[in-house]
Amino acid sequence: MTALRTQLGPLELTSPLVLAPMAGYTDFPMRRLACRYGAGLVFSEMLSGEGTRRRNPKTFQIARFTPEERPIILQYFAVEPQMAADVAKVLEELEPDGLDLNFGCPVKKIVQYSGGAALLKDVPLMAKIVEAAVKATSLPVSVKIRAGWDSQSVNAVEAARAAEESGACWITIHARTRSEFYAGAAHWEWIGEVKQNVSIPVIGNGDVKEANDAVELRNQTGCDAVMIGRGAMGYPFIFREANALLSGAEPVPPTPVERFEAAREQLGLMIELYVEERAVRHFRKHAIGYLRGLPSSAVVKAKVLRLPEASQVLETLEKYFTALPDKPTPRSGAVFEQAPVWG
Ligand SMILES: Cc1cc2nc3c(=O)[nH]c(=O)nc-3n(C[C@H](O)[C@H](O)[C@H](O)COP(=O)(O)O)c2cc1C
């Protein structure tokens, strides 16, 4: 697997595939599964700058991680330099492998508070925020941006250069503007443009739905690493499949039993993290991914979405998956029908 080794600033990764930060999804169970199946780097859900600074217990629960998830980046948003510095110091105590500043979140509540993608409208302030975080910590600091605020103001190259000059170790670009939210196809050409205009590593992101897309994205843009978000929901196997393709091997899709085992492990870890009732509720959105594209899965899905207890969910899934033919079954069907509001 040496072909997969990737240097990202000071971090040496075993794979160029990165699990995206996704609020409400990339908790430690999802990250652990992603690592198990071959992600070279994982990101936390976005942490609130203010909540972290005040050491809010809820924020700290989101920041919790385990050694199996390393290397792990804790992501947060800050609206001014002092906040960025204070939060960097607090998060440093948790000893992650790096910190990431979010300049891509399109959510109204965040941009109205001048956070996330709103900073793309004020690149000098964004640069000061990056600089303050870099000065405050010895950890690598990276940034995640969108391509700009809207189609009239695409400024990914300007923002990326400013981040580099301010000391960012690498940059992730989600190739859409804030106004696009998740509509339409990601504009991968913008990732290529950023790559050609900075010297720090670039992680490309947007619309990697299948393993093949990861290879395509890297080939088309020359990006150093590829970030996968929605494509990994209920399907950690995308990392294994894409790693195989990147190293010139044949990807092996999971068997139904393998899918069940991964789902069972994820739910078990979620019960460790949350109370059972909350774990079962949160697990439902992941279960949809585990079932997607399989024969007659709609009936099971409808059932799993109603069941209140973990044992009932597991029993239903086990019965379904073990009745399917025991052979590798590729995922099929639209991956992105959920309408996310974040990122
Ligand atoms: C439910 C959801 C939550 C997200 N939360 C975050 C977040 O906390 N921080 C962030 O930088 N991006 C967030 N994003 C954006 C993703 O990291 C990623 O940029 C986006 O989904 C595009 O990648 P994909 O096409 O592979 O999903 C979120 C996306 C989704 C769908």
Side-chain angles (χ1 to χ4, degrees):
M1 289 287 187
T2 42
L4 297 174
R5 290 209 176 276
T6 302
Q7 196 70 35
L8 212 54
L11 301 185
E12 196 184 316
L13 312 184
T14 53
S15 158
L17 303 175
V18 179
L19 176 68
M22 289 189 289
Y25 283 84
T26 50
D27 50 15
F28 97 78
M30 181 168 177
R31 296 192 304 254
R32 176 102 57 102
L33 268 291
C35 293
R36 165 90 41 81
Y37 286 97
L41 182 69
V42 297
F43 278 58
S44 70
E45 302 169 69
M46 182 175 78
L47 305 164
S48 144
E50 198 49 44
T52 310
R53 182 146 76 169
R54 289 208 220 123
R55 295 175 187 269
N56 178 321
K58 275 197 189 145
T59 310
F60 267 67
Q61 191 194 31
I62 297 174
R64 177 184 158 191
F65 63 90
T66 56
E68 290 89 338
E69 297 156 56
R70 286 190 185 281
I72 179 165
I73 306 301
L74 296 181
Q75 188 197 59
Y76 67 101
F77 79 95
V79 297
E80 43 87 12
Q82 191 57 51
M83 179 190 278
D86 292 348
V87 175
K89 286 190 187 121
V90 173
L91 293 178
E92 195 176 49
E93 294 169 22
L94 304 177
E95 301 183 6
D97 297 284
L99 302 178
D100 185 75
L101 284 158
N102 179 316
F103 299 117
C105 182
V107 173
K108 208 168 165 195
K109 192 173 78 177
I110 305 291
V111 296
Q112 274 177 346
Y113 176 56
S114 310
L119 269 316
L120 294 174
K121 292 198 283 190
D122 190 346
V123 172
L125 177 57
M126 185 199 108
K128 285 192 190 118
I129 289 175
V130 178
E131 208 175 286
V134 169
K135 278 200 185 127
T137 177
S138 57
L139 291 169
V141 175
S142 58
V143 302
K144 181 165 180 277
I145 60 170
R146 281 187 175 238
W149 181 256
D150 59 22
S151 60
Q152 310 303 309
S153 58
V154 171
N155 61 349
V157 168
E158 181 199 354
R161 280 195 177 141
E164 176 174 24
E165 277 164 25
S166 306
C169 286
W170 71 78
I171 179 149
T172 304
I173 165 165
H174 174 193
R176 284 191 176 85
T177 63
R178 186 270 174 179
S179 303
E180 287 175 310
F181 283 84
Y182 290 85
H187 313 272
W188 286 356
E189 64 276 14
W190 290 337
I191 299 172
E193 262 177 56
V194 167
K195 175 64 192 163
Q196 278 167 20
N197 282 283
V198 293
S199 317
I200 49 175
V202 172
I203 304 182
N205 170 238
D207 289 356
V208 173
K209 303 177 191 182
E210 291 172 8
N212 234 339
D213 299 330
V215 181
E216 273 299 305
L217 174 56
R218 206 168 70 155
N219 289 347
Q220 279 184 32
T221 66
C223 65
D224 301 86
V226 171
M227 178 179 274
I228 305 176
R230 291 164 292 171
M233 289 174 177
Y235 201 77
F237 317 101
I238 192 169
F239 295 105
R240 183 174 74 188
E241 293 175 12
N243 277 334
L245 287 173
L246 288 168
S247 30
E250 202 43 50
V252 183
T255 62
V257 168
E258 227 184 324
R259 285 192 198 219
F260 170 66
E261 277 162 6
R264 178 170 56 189
E265 180 175 357
Q266 189 163 352
L267 178 54
L269 292 170
M270 289 175 83
I271 292 170
E272 241 179 66
L273 179 63
Y274 313 109
V275 293
E276 178 172 340
E277 188 239 322
R278 190 163 162 225
V280 169
R281 220 172 345 106
H282 274 313
F283 176 74
R284 288 176 187 150
K285 56 197 176 195
H286 299 281
I288 295 170
Y290 282 108
L291 291 163
R292 181 171 290 120
L294 293 176
S296 314
S297 60
V299 181
V300 192
K301 183 171 121 185
K303 201 167 167 195
V304 165
L305 295 185
R306 279 196 327 264
L307 293 171
E309 284 174 29
S311 59
Q312 298 169 315
V313 171
L314 288 176
E315 201 182 308
T316 305
L317 291 179
E318 184 167 19
K319 211 161 136 195
Y320 170 74
F321 281 115
T322 54
L324 291 173
D326 185 26
K327 58 174 198 300
T329 316
R331 176 169 57 178
S332 63
V335 180
F336 291 180
E337 75 262 22
Q338 282 145 305
V341 290
W342 284 90

